[in-house]
Amino acid sequence: MSRSTAVTAGAAAGVLGIALVVWSVIVPRSVPFVVGALLIAVAIGLGVSGARGRLSHVAVVGGAALAAIMIAVPLVIRTSVASEGVLWRTDEIDASSIVTVIDGAIYSVGWSESTQATVRRFDASDGSVEQTWSHSATRPAYLTDDGGVVFLSADTRRSPDEVPAVVTMFDANGEQRWSASFPVPEDHSAFVVAAREGHVLVSVCAAAETDGDQEADASASCQLSSVTPNGETAWQSDWAHTEQQPFRWETLSGGVLPQSTVVSDAEGSLVMLSPTQHEPLRTLEPDDVGAGGPMFYDGQLIAMSRSGSSCDVTSYSLHDGAETWTSTIDCPEELGEPVMWSASGDGGPVYLGFGNFADLAVWALDGQTGESREIPLDELANRRFPGSLVSLRGAVETTAGAFLLRLDGRQLAVRPWTGGDALVETEVAGPTVLPATAGTQTLALVSYPSAESLPFWISHNPFIPRLDRDSRTRPYSVVTVIDMNGDHRELTSLFVGEKTKVRVVSPGRVLVVPEQGSAVLLEVEQG
């Protein structure tokens, strides 16, 4: 190649490379940016070599180094956008993991290809793995309140029309305690439904029968088996499992098993059963659970019954079935059936909502004492547009543990559920995921910022997807952590990916599992 041709080719490559790089920064695109950086490297090598009339090794190396730097800098920024308040990072927890906290320790439950479940326990102070359990499983593993792990798998060596369910129990130290099999006929499903003091309750249920098209009337006949700490079956009994239950049994996997469960008898009463004894802990007549429930809450069963314009809300212990408190509140019949929810079992109350919009009424009850308070709607306004009324859905979304949120655009006010002035008034980064996550003293929110609110090196980073106003793609998440202990303190960190999950671990500490990258533990600096 002649000197003039090399210089001309180098100039053309340089112009094209610079144009691609500039365009890839204005409208973030990774592939054109990399091509542009490489063309600039080629331009330097060709131009300098052509001007000198011979190959310049220095120019080639220099161009390659410049291209490497141009590509590496935005990549480093992309992988380290979350920095403020990071106590530790780990790649052992990914976006598909189910995260639970037991006695201050972090548990991640993973399930791969429907055949293998893995549970890890992490030290919350440094992120180190303290214990790992792994076993074949047909669904995510179950956890017990004392740190044990229960796996449910199928014995495929048997006949295909009756594949036994195999339940395997491990203790908190990783030692296998026992393994037991239960016949599962065709069109039946097996679940682990309760655990207490080493005992486990296993249910094998037939497919639900429905009355017409009414899903609410669905019920299933189930055989419950109690397994002792040495793996022996202590007793078996037949019951019904209906849609009136506090939750669906299939949703229990991946979380902490309750100490007792609830089934139905032939008369429609609810029966509380413990794995440790054959006799029911308590039986609730249909009239005792006729409205808005029941619901499991922090070791209790919360049920509500209506008599005219008043409702009795009653708490029963899942440990022994004893009634722990009863509270009577106003619930006018014209407002319809109530909705009962709990934003968190960690210090938050039980919430009740009646009606909607102009006729909406919201109550909160202390989960330990039953003390009640009617909440003024202006304390938890989540308005869809200016001047709109608060809906029941908006009320549910703006309760977070012991906190009530008033969100108006980007302006956030946080109040205690017991009433009083706002604990915090702050501004969020953009549209916020509700309901928020809360602990006893800590609130964590995930927001989606606009491109204009982010630094240039992030909003125009070619390795971070473009944030288009007309697109529903949200490539960034901002996590805001607010600690209410004493004078409130807060921090914000930016993460790549839309589906960012948060979990309050302890006061001032929040685990963040982003859609992309490592999980991190954020800690609010204490004053």
Side-chain angles (χ1 to χ4, degrees), residues 372-386:
S372 63
R373 172 181 181 253
E374 185 172 8
I375 299 175
L377 298 186
D378 61 357
E379 293 186 9
L380 41 73
N382 176 25
R383 304 186 187 280
R384 300 298 175 186
F385 50 87

Side-chain angles (χ1 to χ4, degrees), residues 182-219:
F182 301 89
V184 182
E186 188 176 4
D187 295 328
H188 284 58
S189 300
F191 309 96
V192 181
V193 299
R196 176 180 172 185
E197 299 171 1
H199 299 255
V200 169
L201 204 56
V202 179
S203 176
V204 176
C205 299
E209 299 178 359
T210 59
D211 181 8
D213 295 328
Q214 300 298 318
E215 185 178 350
D217 293 335
S219 62

Side-chain angles (χ1 to χ4, degrees), residues 189-343:
S189 300
F191 309 96
V192 181
V193 299
R196 176 180 172 185
E197 299 171 1
H199 299 255
V200 169
L201 204 56
V202 179
S203 176
V204 176
C205 299
E209 299 178 359
T210 59
D211 181 8
D213 295 328
Q214 300 298 318
E215 185 178 350
D217 293 335
S219 62
S221 60
C222 302
Q223 183 179 74
L224 272 70
S225 303
S226 172
V227 185
T228 66
N230 59 9
E232 297 179 353
T233 301
W235 54 263
Q236 292 182 320
S237 58
D238 295 328
W239 301 87
H241 179 235
T242 75
E243 290 296 324
Q244 194 181 20
Q245 298 305 120
F247 43 61
R248 296 174 179 269
W249 280 340
E250 58 263 30
T251 65
L252 289 174
S253 58
V256 180
L257 288 165
Q259 290 191 350
S260 302
T261 194
V262 179
V263 294
S264 299
D265 64 13
E267 288 73 37
S269 300
L270 293 188
V271 181
M272 188 184 301
L273 293 177
S274 168
T276 59
Q277 65 180 62
H278 192 191
E279 295 300 317
L281 295 178
R282 187 159 196 123
T283 300
L284 304 180
E285 301 300 325
D287 290 342
D288 295 333
V289 289
M295 180 183 74
F296 279 1
Y297 167 90
D298 198 23
Q300 303 167 69
L301 178 72
I302 309 294
M304 179 164 53
S305 60
R306 168 177 262 157
S307 177
S309 60
S310 65
C311 287
D312 289 333
V313 184
T314 306
S315 168
Y316 304 94
S317 169
L318 290 177
H319 182 76
D320 56 14
E323 179 180 320
T324 54
W325 53 259
T326 297
S327 181
T328 302
I329 62 174
D330 295 328
C331 57
E333 292 184 88
E334 60 268 21
L335 294 185
E337 288 298 304
V339 173
M340 181 162 53
W341 73 94
S342 169

Side-chain angles (χ1 to χ4, degrees), residues 21 33 60 95 108 134 147 160 164 172 181 200 220 248 262 267 277 293 299-300 369 372 386 414 432 467 476 495:
V21 167
F33 181 83
V60 172
S108 73
S134 187
S181 296
V200 169
R248 296 174 179 269
V262 179
E267 288 73 37
Q277 65 180 62
Q300 303 167 69
T369 67
S372 63
V414 183
T432 300
L467 187 64
Y476 324 105
F495 295 86

Side-chain angles (χ1 to χ4, degrees), residues 453-522:
S453 66
L454 295 172
F456 179 86
W457 56 86
I458 293 176
S459 60
H460 290 275
N461 189 314
F463 293 100
I464 298 179
R466 181 184 181 186
L467 187 64
D468 193 329
R469 290 184 178 180
D470 298 327
S471 172
R472 295 186 179 181
T473 301
R474 293 161 168 166
Y476 324 105
S477 300
V478 170
V479 176
T480 301
V481 180
I482 305 174
D483 184 20
M484 313 288 180
N485 186 19
D487 295 333
H488 96 274
R489 300 172 184 84
E490 62 181 275
L491 66 83
T492 58
S493 283
L494 180 70
F495 295 86
V496 176
E498 178 179 6
K499 299 177 182 179
T500 299
K501 299 187 295 185
V502 294
R503 182 65 186 253
V504 176
V505 175
S506 58
R509 289 183 173 183
V510 173
L511 180 70
V512 181
V513 184
E515 186 176 14
Q516 302 177 29
S518 303
V520 303
L521 188 79
L522 300 180

Side-chain angles (χ1 to χ4, degrees), residues 99-116:
V99 177
T100 302
V101 178
I102 303 176
D103 294 334
I106 300 171
Y107 290 74
S108 73
V109 180
W111 186 42
S112 62
E113 300 179 357
S114 304
T115 59
Q116 192 78 12

